[in-house]
Amino acid sequence: MDGDWLAHDSHDIFYRNPFGAVPCRAPVTLRLAVRRPDRPEAVLARLWQDGGREEDLPMYLWREDHGTLVYQADFAAPAAPGLLWYAFVLRQHGRAWHYGNNPERLGGAGRLYENDPAAWQITVHRPGAVTPDWLK
């Protein structure tokens, strides 16, 4: 399925800020670039934690640049540490498009899916947590 008209790269701070793990309640920004001749009816960031319910967060048009619409969602990381998963849903012409992590699930550039996509993850940690030297 050709998804060249959508773009999100979890390794690029333009699309996900901050990059890497975040402390509980830290601000997070996600962006999705849409290159289509017509505006989508809705662009959503779908978020969930393991064992938790999904939340569809409406994204707003942050910038329009030479035919590319950049949508943005701002939110606070969960209050409890764990893994926060996310993907995107775009609704247009009575159809839902799903954009998620690549099939290798290594993060980075995403891919278009017909149904529920592979998700990107954000590790949420307690404020002040220290990374062990052996992991650096």
Side-chain angles (χ1 to χ4, degrees), residues 7-11 16 32 48 84-88 99-102 105-111 117-122:
H8 174 82
D9 183 338
S10 67
H11 295 166
R16 178 169 132 185
L32 180 70
W48 68 96
L84 176 65
W85 301 93
Y86 73 95
F88 301 98
Y99 193 76
N101 198 351
N102 54 64
R105 297 175 189 245
L106 298 174
R111 182 188 143 197
W120 288 280
Q121 77 174 47
I122 299 174

Side-chain angles (χ1 to χ4, degrees), residues 6-7 10 14 18 26 33 38 43 55-56 61 64 68-69 73 79 87 93 96 98 105 109 116 120 122 125-126 134:
L6 291 171
S10 67
F14 175 80
D38 48 349
V43 180
E55 176 185 359
D56 284 340
L61 182 60
E64 185 171 357
T68 299
L69 306 173
H93 306 301
H98 302 268
R105 297 175 189 245
D116 292 335
W120 288 280
I122 299 174
H125 61 83
R126 286 184 186 86
W134 62 267

Side-chain angles (χ1 to χ4, degrees), residues 41-93:
E41 296 156 14
V43 180
L44 307 168
R46 181 164 286 166
L47 311 170
W48 68 96
Q49 284 189 281
D50 288 333
R53 65 177 183 77
E54 293 179 351
E55 176 185 359
D56 284 340
L57 186 62
M59 300 181 77
Y60 63 90
L61 182 60
W62 176 71
R63 184 169 81 190
E64 185 171 357
D65 187 25
H66 302 297
T68 299
L69 306 173
V70 180
Y71 288 86
Q72 179 169 311
D74 302 300
F75 59 93
L83 296 179
L84 176 65
W85 301 93
Y86 73 95
F88 301 98
V89 179
L90 184 141
R91 293 199 175 106
Q92 191 171 33
H93 306 301

Side-chain angles (χ1 to χ4, degrees), residues 1-7 33-36 68 99 110-112:
M1 184 180 305
D2 181 17
D4 289 345
W5 55 279
L6 291 171
V34 180
R35 291 180 290 279
R36 302 254 325 164
T68 299
Y99 193 76
R111 182 188 143 197
L112 190 63

